[in-house]
Amino acid sequence: MTSPVVGNSLTPRAARLAAELETWGRRTITLAELWTLYARADPASATRPTRRADLAAAVTALAAAGVVTASKTLDRTVAPPLPARLTLPPPTTSVSAAALARSVPWRPELAWAATARLTVGQVSLLQTVNTWLRDRGRDTDVIPVRERSLELFGYEKTVDTLRGTTLFAAGRLTLTLLRTFRAHPPLPVRRVGDGPILLVVENADTFDTLRKALNTTTHAVGHIAWGAGAAFEASVLSVGELPDVHDIAYFGDLDADGLRIPASAALTVASEHLPAVRPAHGLYRLLIEHGIPQPGQPPIDEQRATDLAGWLDDTAARPAQALLTGGSRIPQEAVSAKLLTSVTGDWLADLS
């Protein structure tokens, strides 16, 4: 079994567990809860016969580093014994993190770590990056973020978690420094014509309905895509791979998420110099005219509702705002195949 402390640092396993513990919402952790955290910190341990001994060694190291205090009550049902409960120090206590950070010979890229306000778990994770920067030599490969995360920390989602912390910022950790990138998911697309418009539809059933409807009408839509809900916030970057798309029209539910998703995607494409994401005006007008509001949603305050509805044009924004503040929604499925066969082609006005 590897010693949990190497020189002045924790082993990667103990460091990952420290990071999990430091994000725990309470100061006390039962043994059952500790096993859950350990499974996230070291998923490869699930089939390892030394799993309990490895956890015991990590807990001992973390207690020595001041990250936790172990209870004197032990679970002795299986050897080695494990504490029945761990206690985290108060949030204002920095324990030995500062001393640990000062003792590390940091690479120039991580020199800021010596004086930053960090936790023991953060210092240990940064030491892993420090070693990787030192040892990678002439390796210039740039690989997807979850592959890099698995390589560095033994868990594919660690970098995703770190990106939401103070460790990631200009002058600190960046994807560029880690020689990685966020691979955007593919956008499911079907060609329906030769026009310059990409019509993105939030939900699968309405995607199918509109795809069939477009096959029987004249329009300027070249492609129709299934946005897959919130996935579109990332998959919108795949638009750059589609030929001859100069206009992105979006149609989704009239609810908080249905309006937040395209607004967020619009900001993403703007930063990447892709075609703008705008509402499919005719389809939203059809939805408002024929859809039946469904109550039961959490009411949204007026300012937030105004911000969300502001992505729509004035005609649709007012009723959308009223829906949000009144705790109601209209699902886009109200624009059904039956409805499309019974109305005029006005819904195609901005798609032609």
Side-chain angles (χ1 to χ4, degrees):
M1 181 177 65
T2 303
S3 170
V5 182
V6 179
N8 290 316
S9 67
L10 298 171
T11 59
R13 180 184 301 126
R16 293 193 300 269
L17 181 57
E20 291 290 343
L21 289 167
E22 288 165 356
T23 61
W24 184 245
R26 303 194 313 271
R27 287 190 57 202
T28 58
I29 302 103
T30 66
L31 181 55
E33 292 167 337
L34 178 62
W35 277 117
T36 299
L37 294 178
Y38 185 57
R40 291 209 302 256
D42 191 25
S45 70
T47 58
R48 195 164 49 230
T50 59
R51 185 175 188 235
R52 187 178 177 97
D54 292 342
L55 175 57
V59 169
T60 298
L62 295 178
V67 177
V68 296
T69 299
S71 69
K72 294 182 180 180
T73 303
L74 301 176
D75 172 21
R76 300 181 181 275
T77 54
V78 181
L82 287 170
R85 185 179 303 271
L86 300 180
T87 303
L88 296 170
T92 54
T93 303
S94 62
V95 291
S96 58
L100 178 59
R102 288 193 299 270
S103 71
V104 177
W106 296 108
R107 293 270 305 181
E109 304 95 322
L110 299 180
W112 54 269
T115 55
R117 186 177 180 84
L118 302 170
T119 64
V120 169
Q122 289 176 326
V123 174
S124 298
L125 290 173
L126 287 173
Q127 285 181 284
T128 299
V129 177
N130 198 56
T131 300
W132 174 77
L133 288 170
R134 182 197 68 195
D135 295 344
R136 67 188 177 94
R138 296 184 180 181
D139 176 17
T140 58
D141 287 348
V142 179
I143 62 177
V145 67
R146 292 201 171 182
E147 294 180 16
R148 182 68 78 205
S149 183
L150 184 64
E151 174 194 355
L152 284 173
F153 304 111
Y155 184 44
E156 74 277 10
K157 296 181 181 179
T158 297
V159 172
D160 288 334
T161 301
L162 293 180
R163 290 181 69 188
T165 72
T166 56
L167 293 186
F168 259 81
R172 293 195 170 190
L173 290 185
T174 63
L175 294 184
T176 300
L177 177 63
L178 297 180
R179 303 198 62 76
T180 187
F181 63 96
R182 164 58 64 203
H184 53 262
L187 184 66
V189 177
R190 296 291 183 272
R191 181 177 279 280
V192 291
D194 298 321
I197 300 174
L198 167 67
L199 174 61
V200 182
V201 184
E202 181 177 349
N203 300 325
D205 285 7
T206 308
F207 165 84
D208 187 72
T209 290
L210 288 171
R211 179 179 61 84
K212 291 174 180 175
L214 290 170
N215 283 333
T216 62
T217 59
T218 301
H219 53 77
V221 179
H223 300 82
I224 183 170
W226 173 41
F232 182 58
E233 295 176 71
S235 65
V236 67
L237 293 174
S238 293
V239 171
E241 301 170 9
L242 296 176
D244 304 320
V245 169
H246 304 295
D247 182 13
I248 305 172
Y250 185 92
F251 178 50
D253 298 327
L254 278 177
D255 58 20
D257 281 342
L259 294 171
R260 180 191 58 77
I261 290 165
S264 173
L267 294 175
T268 299
V269 297
S271 67
E272 296 293 329
H273 307 293
L274 293 168
V277 177
R278 52 91 171 174
H281 303 293
L283 287 167
Y284 278 111
R285 285 196 295 271
L286 202 62
L287 183 59
I288 291 168
E289 290 169 7
H290 296 274
I292 299 174
Q294 297 180 348
Q297 302 298 303
I300 295 177
D301 70 80
E302 188 169 347
Q303 183 57 58
R304 175 64 173 156
T306 300
D307 293 342
L308 287 168
W311 180 75
L312 300 168
D313 65 7
D314 290 342
T315 303
R318 294 187 188 91
Q321 182 181 353
L323 282 170
L324 296 174
T325 56
S328 294
R329 66 188 293 271
I330 303 179
Q332 69 172 163
E333 286 81 2
V335 177
S336 63
K338 185 175 181 179
L339 175 63
L340 290 175
T341 61
S342 67
V343 298
T344 65
D346 288 349
W347 63 275
L348 280 167
D350 65 310
L351 300 175
S352 299

